[in-house]
Amino acid sequence: MVSCPDNDIINIGEYLRDIDLAGKTVLVTGGAGFLGSWVCDALMYKGARVLCVDNLSSGAEENIAHLRGKDGFQFIKHDITQPLQPDLKLDLVIHMASRASPFEFERFPEEIIQANTQGTLIALGIAREFGATFLFASSSEVYGDPSLVPTPESFAGNIDPTKMRSCYSVSKRCGEAYVAAFRRQYGLDARVARIFNTYGPRMRADGIYGRAVPRFISQALRGNDITVFGQGRQTRSFCYVTDQVAGLLRLATSPGAEGEVVNIGNDTEITILETAEMIKRLTGSQSQLAFYPLPEDDPIRRCPDIGKARRLLGWEPRVGLEEGLRKTIAWFDGAVQ
Ligand code: UDP
């Protein structure tokens, strides 16, 4: 049930048709997570060998079950904050391991800081040992609550380090600082993706792991109340997973992107209320919207400036919100959630 639609993988392959990954060996930390498992799928489709490392804290073995046993795919259950000695010669290291749901920030702040700091340091050390390219999965959270929207990479950020979300936002900033240090000190070819809100099949809807889109879909399909926080006036810009993965892999492999920091996301901004209403309409649900208090520190607006990705990577999102939501709803409808 959790393997993703075949045509989605073909679409990613199409987006990466000018990129040669055949025979390359890639370490993906967090490879059993929502995004990480899609990255593993895309790499395998492109003929790469994949070493997938995950401690299964928020990722799930079932996300990669269809890859287990395939030639060129290896899974190691391991916490990347602890030393790791891969026995394959690596060409590329993609560090994606971290819990990412705001509800988890409350429960696991120390673990999150460790994954983004110590985990990044260990993953960088592995890349350095093999002379591999490094891609760090950073986040739009490094901007905090930005005063400049759409937000370009040059915006330095607006963050109070004592707030709830700071375990994530500040540790992603620290991870970026480690990447910059390895670039300067050791000449490592290291790149940073600032990932904006992404959704699609395999995203968790349950409890503290659920983000707005999968929660709303699951609530709508079950006829439960759709839980809008605040008045729903805050905005996000939702990127369908195939676009995100294509952007990440173009950034990891494009010759002109060495050492660059690039926003990857969709630049169509929408309020959370409009998102909830759209999901209600697309599911044909009778659910009611129910309003709950806005969590502390919830950014008011979020939308990337993706001019740099367009110029540098020849990339922009191809899947509109309604199309992406329809695909995601179809997957949730078929999945046992
Ligand atoms: N949100 C909501 N209801 C939910 C979950 C989230 O209204 O059940 C809001 C949340 O407050 C935020 C937005 O939706 O403003 C996006 O939340 P999400 O957890 O998807 O990611 P974030 O962008 O906050 O990291």
Side-chain angles (χ1 to χ4, degrees):
M1 255 329 157
V2 290
S3 83
C4 44
D6 286 345
N7 64 338
D8 275 345
I9 294 295
I10 293 166
N11 288 343
I12 299 175
E14 175 60 23
Y15 216 155
L16 300 174
R17 68 187 178 285
D18 55 328
I19 284 169
D20 185 15
L21 281 157
K24 303 271 189 234
T25 305
V26 186
L27 167 64
V28 183
T29 77
F34 158 56
L35 263 182
S37 62
W38 276 88
V39 166
C40 291
D41 271 325
L43 289 167
M44 291 289 289
Y45 183 82
K46 291 289 292 177
R49 273 190 298 271
V50 175
L51 177 57
C52 169
V53 169
D54 201 300
N55 68 355
L56 300 178
S57 59
S58 60
E61 240 171 327
E62 52 182 3
N63 286 342
I64 50 163
H66 59 290
L67 296 174
R68 303 286 288 268
K70 277 201 179 166
D71 235 21
F73 184 81
Q74 196 187 335
F75 172 67
I76 303 176
K77 184 171 184 290
H78 176 82
D79 184 336
I80 195 61
T81 63
Q82 304 301 315
L84 175 72
Q85 189 59 60
D87 51 11
L88 297 167
K89 158 102 182 66
L90 300 172
D91 300 291
L92 173 63
V93 173
I94 304 181
H95 179 43
M96 308 196 76
S98 176
R99 295 175 179 273
S101 168
F103 299 109
E104 294 175 283
F105 301 168
E106 209 168 333
R107 287 270 297 279
F108 303 103
E110 184 187 354
E111 197 179 296
I112 288 166
I113 292 171
Q114 280 296 97
N116 290 325
T117 57
Q118 180 68 8
T120 304
L121 185 60
I122 287 185
L124 279 164
I126 294 170
R128 185 179 168 218
E129 182 187 331
F130 289 101
T133 301
F134 186 86
L135 178 69
F136 179 47
S138 185
S139 168
S140 56
E141 287 284 334
V142 300
Y143 299 122
D145 201 359
S147 53
L148 184 57
V149 181
T151 309
E153 290 82 355
S154 55
F155 181 73
N158 174 26
I159 294 179
D160 175 344
T162 65
K163 298 284 189 186
M164 178 82 76
R165 297 176 89 97
S166 302
C167 62
Y168 190 80
S169 54
V170 175
S171 63
K172 284 289 187 193
R173 288 170 75 99
C174 180
E176 288 199 22
Y178 268 139
V179 170
F182 269 64
R183 239 176 35 225
R184 291 198 181 95
Q185 204 169 335
Y186 306 119
L188 189 76
D189 175 4
R191 307 156 187 221
V192 172
R194 292 190 178 146
I195 297 175
F196 282 67
N197 293 66
T198 300
Y199 68 99
R202 284 198 201 137
M203 213 172 178
R204 295 180 73 159
D206 53 316
I208 60 167
Y209 305 106
R211 313 289 293 275
V213 168
R215 278 166 68 95
F216 290 171
I217 291 176
S218 155
Q219 290 163 343
L221 289 174
R222 291 175 175 183
N224 294 339
D225 283 354
I226 299 178
T227 55
V228 174
F229 297 162
Q231 292 170 305
R233 288 202 197 117
Q234 68 275 32
T235 70
R236 295 293 185 270
S237 311
F238 295 105
C239 184
Y240 189 61
V241 64
T242 54
D243 284 333
Q244 181 61 245
V245 171
L248 292 175
L249 292 180
R250 292 197 76 84
L251 174 55
T253 54
S254 294
E258 203 162 309
E260 296 290 345
V261 176
V262 185
N263 288 341
I264 308 284
N266 192 302
D267 59 354
T268 306
E269 194 178 1
I270 183 171
T271 67
I272 292 302
L273 184 61
E274 287 165 335
T275 309
E277 281 165 347
M278 189 186 276
I279 289 171
K280 181 167 146 70
R281 174 170 59 81
L282 294 176
T283 50
S285 172
Q286 298 303 310
S287 291
Q288 304 293 312
L289 301 191
F291 293 85
Y292 289 84
L294 193 65
E296 177 190 300
D297 216 13
D298 198 291
I300 297 164
R301 287 184 69 190
R302 186 183 288 151
C303 178
D305 178 330
I306 53 172
K308 186 170 179 181
R310 284 196 172 101
R311 285 190 305 277
L312 200 67
L313 311 177
W315 170 91
E316 65 182 358
R318 293 179 171 178
V319 182
L321 184 57
E322 189 157 325
E323 182 189 350
L325 284 177
R326 283 187 198 280
K327 286 168 182 262
T328 311
I329 289 165
W331 182 84
F332 268 91
D333 216 5
V336 188
Q337 288 289 327

